[in-house]
Amino acid sequence: MTFNSSRAKHSGLAALRHVQHPPVFSCSSERVRSYYSRRKCQRKVLHNVLEPFAAECFRQEILDFPLSDRISVRGKNASLRNHAERLIAGDYLNHEGASSDNGDVMRLRLTLWRCKMLDVLAVGAHPDDCEIMMGGTLAILKKQSYKVGICDLSSGEAGTYGSANTRRQELAQASTILQLDARDTLDMPDGHIRNTEENRMKLIRVIRKHRPTIVFSFFNAMPRHPDHYYSGLLTKECVFLAGLEKIETGSPPHRPSNLIHFKELVLNDKPDVVVDISEVWDQKVQAVRAYQSQVVAGNDAEQPPKTFIKSKAFWEVFEARSRMAGAMIGVRYGEPFYCEAPAKILDIPASFSRGSNV
């Protein structure tokens, strides 16, 4: 592949994702230098060419961060490895008219580090949990240019409907609809998720891998499904434990700034925070409908259905929950959340003014 500067400028990472696999990069330092010379702006080179290239290297696991913040380069594609090595060494910043001192290289290293991090990580017990409980919030965050991801503690293999392979395909489709930056599915047993040492280490590794600022998960009070309770309890403990240096996982410690909870489908109390999801409601519904083996579409419901989520009543409660939460803040649709710590309010009138579109 040859980098097209205008294409990289306008489509960023998408320019790399359209490459035929396995990718062959002919992104020479001369082309980057030429692009720089025309633009006379080092920031544009970094943002339009090098950052998308770095993000694609992470996506293909060519770049990684091991125990320290020293960047490692790996993979079988020699051409890609070579460019990745030159990228992190600062070679592509070392050209006439631009400084290649330690400040440039350090900023590029921080850019690479940022490519790996998530702003928000949502943790659910099964595939579809996070889409149902906070799919709208994830979509809103993406519209605001935040990096978001989901961790499913199990693959949902014990569900009444759908095989493990079917669930994986549905999960991938829902992730695409929500435009997630990352998704991890762990191997905790569906129907028997428990707060064990082994499971804590699994989730700690995910938190340290993605280094989220905020984590969302189930409220750790006994709901209808025990897996939801234990996933909330597990997440609460791991958010703290992930910051302890003496717990060895092969990654640096990291403690998220805050943990925010969601509860099960029936809304029976007053939440601490409601997010307006009116503009992305259809996107949330589409993400939930991606789980075709789990939810009913149209008039296809069994009589009687074996699970609540497979009934028409699920969609009625699903929408009623969002309408009720939205009504609390004067909007059409909302998602309710419960906070571990008080929220910091920067714009008081905007935060407390109510809409009128109920």
Side-chain angles (χ1 to χ4, degrees):
M1 171 191 176
T2 301
F3 260 105
N4 181 305
S5 59
S6 61
R7 187 181 178 199
K9 175 183 178 183
H10 293 294
S11 57
L13 182 56
L16 288 164
R17 287 186 170 160
H18 290 132
V19 182
Q20 296 294 320
H21 291 284
V24 177
F25 287 86
S26 58
C27 174
S28 66
S29 57
E30 288 75 21
R31 284 194 62 80
V32 178
R33 291 173 188 170
S34 174
Y35 176 63
Y36 171 80
S37 299
R38 291 197 303 273
R39 293 295 176 178
K40 302 294 184 183
C41 179
Q42 179 176 335
R43 181 177 297 176
K44 288 186 178 180
V45 178
L46 192 66
H47 178 69
N48 296 328
V49 178
L50 299 186
E51 286 188 16
F53 179 74
E56 179 67 4
C57 285
F58 277 122
R59 190 179 74 83
Q60 297 191 30
E61 298 185 346
I62 300 297
L63 292 174
D64 193 18
F65 288 96
L67 285 171
S68 67
D69 62 355
R70 183 178 179 82
I71 303 171
S72 66
V73 181
R74 63 190 184 189
K76 296 181 180 180
N77 189 315
S79 175
L80 188 54
R81 283 204 318 273
N82 175 57
H83 287 298
E85 288 167 353
R86 298 182 69 179
L87 178 73
I88 64 176
D91 285 0
Y92 291 150
L93 295 179
N94 185 17
H95 45 79
E96 185 179 354
S99 169
S100 62
D101 59 17
N102 289 337
D104 284 333
V105 175
M106 181 58 67
R107 186 169 70 257
L108 183 54
R109 286 177 182 271
L110 290 174
T111 297
L112 293 171
W113 183 270
R114 182 70 182 85
C115 288
K116 190 73 171 179
M117 293 170 59
L118 293 179
D119 295 295
V120 170
L121 176 67
V123 180
H126 319 97
D128 75 22
D129 282 345
C130 293
E131 285 87 348
I132 292 172
M133 299 302 163
M134 59 172 296
T137 298
L138 292 171
I140 288 290
L141 288 165
K142 281 299 298 180
K143 286 175 71 71
Q144 296 173 348
S145 299
Y146 289 104
K147 293 172 70 69
V148 302
I150 291 176
C151 175
D152 310 297
L153 299 185
S154 77
S155 60
E157 72 279 1
T160 304
Y161 300 95
S163 65
N165 184 53
T166 299
R167 300 298 300 272
R168 283 193 295 270
Q169 294 174 0
E170 293 171 345
L171 178 153
Q173 183 181 353
S175 300
T176 299
I177 292 169
L178 291 178
Q179 301 177 348
L180 300 181
D181 296 286
R183 187 153 197 165
D184 294 78
T185 301
L186 303 183
D187 59 355
M188 299 182 195
D190 182 14
H192 196 69
I193 295 174
R194 295 295 182 267
N195 185 17
T196 65
E197 178 67 18
E198 179 183 6
N199 288 343
R200 284 194 293 271
M201 293 302 293
K202 291 176 182 178
L203 186 52
I204 287 171
R205 289 188 184 97
V206 172
I207 293 173
R208 289 181 173 182
K209 171 186 174 182
H210 294 300
R211 311 183 74 78
T213 303
I214 299 173
V215 173
F216 287 78
S217 190
F218 280 101
F219 193 77
N220 55 312
M222 183 58 78
R224 177 174 176 268
H225 198 314
D227 277 356
H228 295 173
Y229 165 71
Y230 283 107
S231 64
L233 182 62
L234 191 63
T235 303
K236 182 173 183 177
E237 292 196 11
C238 290
V239 163
F240 176 81
L241 295 174
L244 298 181
E245 292 185 0
K246 292 185 178 180
I247 295 180
E248 295 289 344
T249 63
S251 300
H254 172 73
R255 182 169 296 148
S257 296
N258 214 332
L259 172 62
I260 300 175
H261 299 283
F262 45 79
K263 296 186 178 181
E264 286 195 323
L265 207 54
V266 177
L267 183 61
N268 54 19
D269 57 9
K270 184 171 73 173
D272 298 322
V273 174
V274 174
V275 176
D276 179 8
I277 63 165
S278 304
E279 64 177 304
V280 296
W281 172 252
D282 291 340
Q283 185 180 356
K284 170 174 177 162
V285 171
Q286 187 181 2
V288 175
R289 287 194 183 278
Y291 294 94
Q292 297 177 29
S293 67
Q294 306 301 304
V295 300
V296 63
N299 298 316
D300 298 335
E302 295 180 357
Q303 296 299 330
K306 296 179 182 178
T307 63
F308 172 69
I309 194 174
K310 197 70 171 176
S311 68
K312 292 182 179 179
F314 163 76
W315 288 109
E316 295 171 355
V317 175
F318 174 77
E319 181 169 5
R321 177 182 189 264
S322 296
R323 289 299 304 270
M324 183 178 295
M328 293 180 180
I329 59 171
V331 301
R332 188 167 182 80
Y333 294 108
E335 285 178 338
F337 297 101
Y338 305 81
C339 302
E340 286 277 304
K344 178 173 66 176
I345 303 299
L346 298 178
D347 188 333
I348 296 174
S351 298
F352 288 94
S353 61
R354 287 174 52 84
S356 57
N357 186 23
V358 180

